[in-house]
Amino acid sequence: MYTWKDPINKICIIVLSISLYLFFDDRQFWFFQASSEFANDSNKPRDTEAELSVVGVDIQSELNGKNTVKLREIVDHQTNLRRFGRCEPTLGESIKYRVENGIYTWVDSKGITNYSDQKPKHHAALYQPKSNRVLDYFELTITGKTVTHSFKNALIARLNAIFRSYTSVIGLKAMRKVTLSIEVLPNRHEYERVVKSYGGVGVNTAGIYFGNKNKVLVVQRSYEDTMQTAVHEALHAINQAVIGYSPRWLNEGLAEYFEAIQVNMQHAKIKPQYFLDKHGRIRGNIVTPLNLVSAEHLWKTEQAESLYKSSWAFVHFLMSSNSGRQTLKDILLQEQSEPCSSLSAKQLKGILASKQPKLVAAFQTYLNLPIKTQRL
């Protein structure tokens, strides 16, 4: 006999089947988070100029069987940096070398360990480590009830590779020591409680960086989401320690770029993480570099999502050539010379005009070609 309960039972079975499939396929979709994101997006503060970095919830939806679209919540990072951060590193936080039995040991700008009976020519300070670490450049602590040894080792490997890559761009002499504690909280309730105890707001965020305490808080989600959020926030810590305050496109562009790093043994690579079309090109509108450096005020508008993608694209473009990396180096060094202020659009355009006279054409060519994985 057919009853009114039969359709309900069938619907329940279908919903349960879909839920189980998504769960075991590691693609859980939490509807209350998605609805919260879209409901609050137009009212959320977005930015002015700083760095208690906050990365929002990333929801990935599969498209065409292989490509993903990344949605994020936009939060006011830069104002938070002014509130919780500091623009100048503590004295003595420069790269250091050690000497033992008359042999000097240090790591050069390419991340290669050097041994010599002569003191390095750069102005690094003497450091005699308590352990057998060669270089005391990245003091990192990772804690959390849900943190496994595998996750911790993978995160350390990614951050060490990032630090080496950052050093290869800016040079060893310009690097500064980074001290950072990353804590992964087991659930959203605990995450928001701890963030609040530090004076911040954890609602609608997945990670947050307190520069004045050298502390990153991350909420536990899927393995890769938690990993990328931790890496993203650590990049803001590196930026703060090395260059101080910076324009939003530079701060977020570097964090977006490096958060997708993958490490295998001693090899690291950056895979494109924004949605690409069937030809491997970035889909959607991209703000050109000259407009991007003048768009600081637009991060508070509905264009913020496009600015994230455009910032990533510009950094990816700069990292794709020797001339681009030299341009990025000049920008970073100029920022470092004035750590408590950000370069103006006029200053940035002056650097770009000098180092990238054919920038408009070169960037357009970059956008017209498939975006390639970069090896660091």
Side-chain angles (χ1 to χ4, degrees), residues 337-354:
S337 68
E338 301 177 11
C340 291
S341 63
S342 299
L343 290 177
S344 67
K346 182 178 180 180
Q347 289 174 304
L348 288 165
K349 288 180 179 180
I351 295 174
L352 294 176
S354 173

Side-chain angles (χ1 to χ4, degrees), residues 206-221:
I208 193 165
Y209 168 54
F210 293 89
N212 57 349
K213 299 182 182 296
N214 297 326
K215 183 79 172 183
V216 163
L217 300 175
V218 178
V219 63
Q220 177 68 50
R221 297 179 291 143

Side-chain angles (χ1 to χ4, degrees), residues 12-151:
C12 291
I13 292 173
I14 292 172
V15 171
L16 178 60
S17 299
I18 293 173
S19 299
L20 288 173
Y21 169 75
L22 291 175
F23 179 83
F24 288 109
D25 195 45
D26 196 30
R27 285 184 286 138
Q28 302 95 315
F29 189 95
W30 302 107
F31 291 99
F32 70 89
Q33 289 183 348
S35 62
S36 174
E37 174 175 300
F38 289 109
N40 296 329
D41 184 69
S42 61
N43 296 322
K44 277 180 275 194
R46 288 180 164 89
D47 175 85
T48 48
E49 222 189 28
E51 170 176 55
L52 178 158
S53 330
V54 179
V55 178
V57 176
D58 293 339
I59 303 173
Q60 295 191 342
S61 55
E62 202 163 289
L63 206 55
N64 294 334
K66 59 181 180 179
N67 294 318
T68 59
V69 176
K70 182 175 181 181
L71 303 177
R72 70 169 67 252
E73 298 190 15
I74 311 301
V75 185
D76 193 345
H77 302 188
Q78 304 293 70
T79 296
N80 284 332
L81 176 59
R82 292 295 191 266
R83 179 183 175 191
F84 295 108
R86 54 185 173 82
C87 58
E88 294 182 327
T90 303
L91 293 178
E93 288 191 352
S94 59
I95 289 295
K96 303 172 184 179
Y97 64 91
R98 62 177 289 197
V99 57
E100 188 171 325
N101 297 324
I103 300 299
Y104 294 88
T105 308
W106 71 97
V107 174
D108 64 20
S109 61
K110 296 181 179 179
I112 299 174
T113 303
N114 291 265
Y115 303 91
S116 174
D117 59 357
Q118 300 294 320
K119 180 180 177 180
K121 294 181 180 180
H122 57 76
H123 296 87
L126 177 64
Y127 171 72
Q128 200 63 39
K130 296 179 181 179
S131 64
N132 60 359
R133 288 185 303 170
V134 173
L135 192 64
D136 178 42
Y137 63 89
F138 202 16
E139 188 174 319
L140 181 65
T141 303
I142 304 170
T143 60
K145 296 178 181 178
T146 59
V147 173
T148 64
H149 289 296
S150 175
F151 180 90

